[in-house]
Amino acid sequence: MPLHKYPPKLWNALKMKQGIYTRLPKHYLESLKQKEPTPVHWKPLGVQYRISPKTGHKERVQDIPIPVYYPPESQDGLWGGEGWISGFRYANNDKMSTRLKKVWKPQLFKRELYSEILDHKFTITVTARTLNLIDAAYGFDFYILKTPMEDLNSKLGMDLKRAMLLRLARRDTELYPNDPVKREKVYHKYKQFEIPEERAEWLGLSLVEAVEKQRQLEHKEPEPLFKTCVDQLVQDLNAQKLSEPLLIEKKE
């Protein structure tokens, strides 16, 4: 006899169909769908067969992705899609010796990155690939705004993107308050990334944060009972006054 009505693997999918989860914005629910990130540690060939350069015969291609583990600390930095790869190596570089388990980790650096939109310098843990991607995007802000969520794969990166998009949507005057010309120049530079504020404030939120935000939006302060009774009494007195005949005194 099964212990549960539904298998535990389906619990996360079932809870999204009931309660407060169904009242979350549609664009946020769409963003929760998992998408395949751009391959970093392997290059997909995209074909099932190819001609062998050695024999000239057709051979099957093993186009299998390498499993990558993203540790929790990767969410506090910008790793550029890199992660930990588990494998084996030979002892003493001898193929006849015992295989030993090995984990390959990316080299991390602490770098200070400046954001034009937020007008702030951030000290962030990055990889060499992240620095190359920032250079290829022609700036830190462009890298954050152009890179999709599945490729950023960072809670810090999505929080920065949400803050940037909110400032662009609100056109906050706190940005360069003493230089309005420079402020307008920055807003015009990143105008292509503007989205409505209603969508920007949900971008990058975790499911727990989104549920709490929706709960606060739906929360209403309880109305005191005496206020309800007073309002009802006023309505009853007004109705009684209108129902009574109006007496007009004649002047002698």
Side-chain angles (χ1 to χ4, degrees):
M1 183 176 179
L3 297 178
H4 307 289
K5 184 177 180 181
Y6 301 103
K9 291 183 179 180
L10 299 179
W11 287 358
N12 289 333
L14 291 174
K15 76 177 182 180
M16 301 300 296
K17 299 182 179 180
Q18 57 186 359
I20 195 173
Y21 298 97
T22 59
R23 300 193 294 275
L24 294 174
K26 292 183 179 180
H27 58 82
Y28 176 76
L29 295 176
E30 286 290 331
S31 67
L32 293 180
K33 295 181 179 179
Q34 294 185 353
K35 300 177 182 178
E36 290 296 326
T38 303
V40 176
H41 297 284
W42 65 292
K43 294 182 179 180
L45 298 174
V47 295
Q48 295 183 349
Y49 299 93
R50 68 176 178 181
I51 302 299
S52 174
K54 295 182 179 180
T55 63
H57 298 290
K58 185 170 71 171
E59 63 180 7
R60 186 185 294 273
V61 176
Q62 293 186 0
D63 210 358
I64 302 174
I66 297 176
V68 183
Y69 170 70
Y70 301 101
E73 51 264 31
S74 67
Q75 299 299 313
D76 299 328
L78 296 173
W79 287 21
E82 295 188 72
W84 294 2
I85 300 177
S86 300
F88 297 89
R89 67 175 181 85
Y90 293 106
N92 302 321
N93 293 327
D94 184 6
K95 291 187 177 181
M96 302 301 293
S97 62
T98 306
R99 290 196 312 169
L100 303 177
K101 191 172 183 181
K102 179 177 175 60
V103 178
W104 285 268
K105 301 178 182 180
Q107 188 176 8
L108 303 177
F109 311 92
K110 286 279 189 178
R111 291 293 183 268
E112 197 173 68
L113 302 172
Y114 174 72
S115 170
E116 276 188 316
I117 299 176
L118 302 178
D119 190 22
H120 188 78
K121 290 183 179 180
F122 300 92
T123 302
I124 304 176
T125 304
V126 298
T127 62
R129 185 173 189 271
T130 305
L131 298 177
N132 292 334
L133 291 174
I134 292 175
D135 291 340
Y138 301 102
F140 177 62
D141 290 351
F142 277 119
Y143 167 69
I144 294 294
L145 294 172
K146 287 181 179 179
T147 309
M149 180 172 63
E150 59 272 13
D151 288 343
L152 272 179
N153 195 20
S154 168
K155 186 67 171 65
L156 173 65
M158 294 307 298
D159 290 344
L160 289 173
K161 178 181 281 192
R162 181 172 63 255
M164 292 177 184
L165 291 175
L166 281 175
R167 174 154 284 186
L168 290 176
R170 295 168 180 171
R171 288 191 168 271
D172 198 349
T173 56
E174 294 182 2
L175 178 65
Y176 307 118
N178 299 326
D179 195 348
V181 176
K182 185 176 181 180
R183 178 172 64 240
E184 292 300 323
K185 185 178 179 180
V186 170
Y187 285 148
H188 181 73
K189 181 178 178 180
Y190 301 97
K191 186 178 181 180
Q192 56 179 317
F193 302 105
E194 287 186 13
I195 60 174
E197 183 180 350
E198 294 75 17
R199 296 193 59 178
E201 60 186 7
W202 289 88
L203 190 69
L205 294 179
S206 64
L207 188 58
V208 176
E209 293 172 340
V211 169
E212 181 61 26
K213 181 178 179 63
Q214 183 67 23
R215 185 177 288 114
Q216 292 178 1
L217 291 175
E218 296 177 355
H219 177 70
K220 295 182 179 179
E221 291 293 336
E223 190 174 4
L225 183 60
F226 80 91
K227 185 176 180 181
T228 306
C229 296
V230 169
D231 292 341
Q232 184 64 35
L233 179 61
V234 171
Q235 292 179 5
D236 294 343
L237 291 176
N238 290 335
Q240 182 179 1
K241 186 176 180 180
L242 292 175
S243 61
E244 292 179 355
L246 183 62
L247 299 178
I248 301 176
E249 298 180 359
K250 292 183 179 181
K251 294 182 181 181
E252 296 179 357

